[in-house]
Amino acid sequence: MKVLIVLVGLLAVRGSELKCDSGNRPAPPLYKLCNNGTQCINYTVEEANSCYEVRHYPEGNWAAAEIEGPDKFKDFKKAWKRLAAYFNGKNKEDAKIKPVFPVGHIFFFEDEENLHSAAAAVYLPEDYQDAPPSPIGRGIHISEQGPHKLYVRSFGSKKKAPVEEIGEEFEILAEALLHDEIYDIEWGAPIVFAYFNTTSKVKRFEVAFIGKSNPEIKPFSEICKSGSRPDLRECVEYESSKINGTDLEIRMYKEHPVALTEIKDFDFEGAMDKLVSYMEGKNNYSIQYNFSLPVFTAASIEGEKFGEHHLGLFLPSYVKYPAPPSDNEIHVTKAPRRKVIVKAFGDRVDTLEELLHLYQKNLYELFYELHAHGIYIRDLHVFALSYDMIGVQGPQRHEVGVVLGSNDPEHDPKPFSDICYSAEQPELPECAAFESFPIPDTNMEIRAYHPHMVAVTPVYGEDYEGAYGRLFSYLNGSNENQTHYDIVLPVTTSMTLSDDYTSLQETYVGVGLPSNVSNPAAPLNNSGVFVFQSPAYVVVIRAFGGRLDENNALSLYKENFEKLFADVDRYHIPVSHRNIITLAYDFPGAEGPQRHEVGILIDHKDEEGTDDGDAGEEPASFAELCRSEFNQTLPPCAVFEPFDIDVNRSNIEGRRYESHYMVEVPVDPTDGESFHEAFVQILGYFNGSNVNGTSYNLTLPFITIIRLNDTGHLEESYVAMALPQNVEVAAEPFSSSPITIDQYPTHDVIVRSFGGDIAITELNDAYEKNFGELFHALKGSRYADIAMDNGVIFSMEYGMPGSGDPQRHEVGVWVSE
């Protein structure tokens, strides 16, 4: 049960409708468990829905036993035995105590995968709350807990330790909390409650997360020097803004002098002694400084490990030329202007070990919240800030953060006011006009570009320099009128991806012509340049800055495209995934701030909201193809119930098919003749060529099923047709026949439908394209992982391809868990 790994993966659930019923594992009701003298802990319910309850538990004493052993999810039995002994009289008062149910199991994670410790605990009855009997021997302790809020989800199981089910229920609970935008959770301390006080085969279990009750964070007014508090220490200044819906803060720090030293072998005290010595005058000028707050620790993350750690003290802001250090292990420099994201916490810290643990815990929670809000950091440079010394009485203030470095895609892009012509900046070049619609809480905007004249040229191979040369030759007068044109920014690169999104089909670079040009000069013959009026179009854009050069430009464009694709899928923006664009307002290597953008064209929608050209023609309706009370002449079709999926794409839907018999024949997918022979075999079976001589009505669709192995390669392939739904016992095929009869269980699939009278010779290409669209639409959803695990894909035909009759083609994946 990797609860925390599950949490990091559940990031795309906002805005969808969740269905969280317990399915086939309903929990036994509490009123049957908490009666006839059996005590259960009292709590109040603040809110309840189909996904979870919000409960408030009282303060009180719990008897707790640490869970020992290598597998803390299974070794709770030993801890429970120690607890049972305590309640049965193994305590200093020889008191036999009637336990209060449920038994709690709490797990403390160091990070996403590593479990630090775990404990089993039982709430003490009211009679023993004021004076709990003292435990005897090791392994039992009395833990006093204050009032706390829990988010709880219940289920039933016949297993005594349903580890897999617990993991699944935690996943549902976490998804529901994220859907409801509840982030103030102790994700690193999941709880499992078990009600063992029943003779029923089905036990009640509950999974829960603790709602945070954050300690008071010491305010800056009690930390930093000000006009009203001149006695306090100076603090480093910054500009600040909040990230909506979080307790995170974006800060912009100015340049500031700093003294640094490497922390070797985690010797924080030794590093601090060196820095304090420098501040106390042990430097080449014997100058003493009062360092500014906070004290900071900085590190980079390399792979899954921390790189070098440095401890630092800020010098006073008035210091322009710091004294050189006499210790060569001290480095004095200016911390550059930095944009950071910070999370503050106020836990009281009495030891260095406690502080390091809290740094790690809060860094994990910071990363989680960043992911939950769609904020991705490229190069991880993390830091911790302390405004109080260890052991200080009362509230404290500590912070952790991550740097948005100058080469990070999240770094502020150069503003348009520094790029584009305006009355205030008439010397700057003109920029293409557009209307902008920013998407709140994201680094995306929707842009509607006006029609404008452009010059474009194809990129042959990867010869971008040649393409730029042709464009700029045209602008510089190499055209039929020898007219010179000023460039209009941005320089664009338009790309069309292949149907499977793995390669580029065609690439063009282009520039706009000045807005006052309505009749541009024709390009020279054979110049490779084309001039025309670009129509109005809509595109979703992600902008990024930093300093791009020839070495990092390609990787940063690719990285920002990946983030843009993830964001448009998360927010269900109906883009044309094959048509992408880059927009450059600066050439890589330019000095100072730069502005670069990546974009995806928005799908054009017709009046009914269908994809224009993306899925081909609209598929024929089931009313045109399938038997109904209004048309008994058509063949029956397999019956299904649609279900909602969180995929906002045309012609994609979830379906649940009830259990039915399927007639199957294995085929070689590379041999078209084998499909024809299989179809003939199936028709023969339906026409009575079977042991019983039973004839059946043909049903639609005609299905091709492909099962993949664990590496994603073909394992086996079948063509199939479902028997009518009312068939209870299927006739046996002849022993010499390749036909098999398979009874399919109730199963869920996700299907993409498309139309068009497609010739058989072109059908495979159409399948490939639509499978690509389906897989891309599911990318990042939970269905993608289920589909990959199942390894079953299929196509379905409701008519004869190329016949001229109404056509409905479908491709799909099996998503039953």
Side-chain angles (χ1 to χ4, degrees), residues 707-755:
R707 293 184 172 91
L708 307 175
N709 59 25
D710 292 340
T711 63
H713 293 90
L714 175 69
E715 185 170 275
E716 50 190 10
S717 179
Y718 297 86
V719 293
M721 185 176 286
L723 286 171
Q725 194 71 38
N726 60 359
V727 174
E728 295 181 357
V729 179
E732 288 291 324
F734 291 120
S735 59
S736 59
S737 170
I739 287 176
T740 58
I741 307 298
D742 194 359
Q743 186 171 16
Y744 278 36
T746 297
H747 58 281
D748 295 340
V749 299
I750 294 179
V751 169
R752 176 179 174 88
S753 308
F754 57 103

Side-chain angles (χ1 to χ4, degrees), residues 97-147:
I97 310 165
K98 197 167 185 178
V100 177
F101 285 92
V103 179
H105 308 84
I106 185 166
F107 304 91
F108 298 97
F109 283 83
E110 291 180 349
D111 51 38
E112 293 179 13
E113 296 189 55
N114 298 310
L115 190 62
H116 177 266
S117 60
V122 177
Y123 191 76
L124 291 170
E126 199 64 38
D127 294 344
Y128 294 96
Q129 278 293 326
D130 292 337
S134 302
I136 296 175
R138 71 170 187 87
I140 298 288
H141 64 276
I142 304 301
S143 176
E144 183 178 358
Q145 298 296 318

Side-chain angles (χ1 to χ4, degrees), residues 660-729:
H660 60 273
Y661 286 101
M662 191 75 80
V663 181
E664 298 177 334
V665 177
V667 293
D668 178 1
T670 64
D671 181 6
E673 190 63 24
S674 71
F675 282 85
H676 174 73
E677 293 173 359
F679 185 63
V680 171
Q681 292 282 350
I682 290 176
L683 287 179
Y685 176 90
F686 273 77
N687 287 324
S689 182
N690 52 61
V691 171
N692 299 357
T694 305
S695 296
Y696 301 103
N697 289 324
L698 288 174
T699 64
L700 292 179
F702 186 67
I703 309 168
T704 302
I705 302 168
I706 296 175
R707 293 184 172 91
L708 307 175
N709 59 25
D710 292 340
T711 63
H713 293 90
L714 175 69
E715 185 170 275
E716 50 190 10
S717 179
Y718 297 86
V719 293
M721 185 176 286
L723 286 171
Q725 194 71 38
N726 60 359
V727 174
E728 295 181 357
V729 179

Side-chain angles (χ1 to χ4, degrees), residues 298-342:
S300 59
I301 296 180
E302 300 170 357
E304 297 182 356
K305 297 181 179 179
F306 283 102
E308 289 186 352
H309 285 64
H310 288 88
L311 189 68
L313 294 177
F314 290 104
L315 279 76
S317 58
Y318 62 80
V319 176
K320 303 299 181 185
Y321 305 100
S326 53
D327 185 340
N328 60 13
E329 293 189 357
I330 299 289
H331 180 58
V332 178
T333 185
K334 273 195 174 183
R337 184 174 181 267
R338 287 292 195 201
K339 186 177 183 181
V340 301
I341 298 179
V342 170

Side-chain angles (χ1 to χ4, degrees), residues 340-375:
V340 301
I341 298 179
V342 170
K343 171 181 171 58
F345 59 97
D347 303 73
R348 175 164 171 194
V349 177
D350 293 316
T351 66
L352 178 61
E353 289 73 20
E354 286 181 52
L355 183 59
L356 295 178
H357 173 72
L358 286 170
Y359 281 158
Q360 189 175 33
K361 170 179 174 288
N362 282 274
L363 270 175
Y364 165 72
E365 292 180 357
L366 170 63
F367 293 150
Y368 173 75
E369 288 197 66
L370 292 176
H371 279 287
H373 282 77
I375 300 172

Side-chain angles (χ1 to χ4, degrees), residues 621-634:
S621 68
F622 289 114
E624 297 173 272
L625 300 168
C626 303
R627 179 178 298 174
S628 67
E629 61 180 321
F630 305 108
N631 192 338
Q632 294 292 317
T633 64
L634 296 173

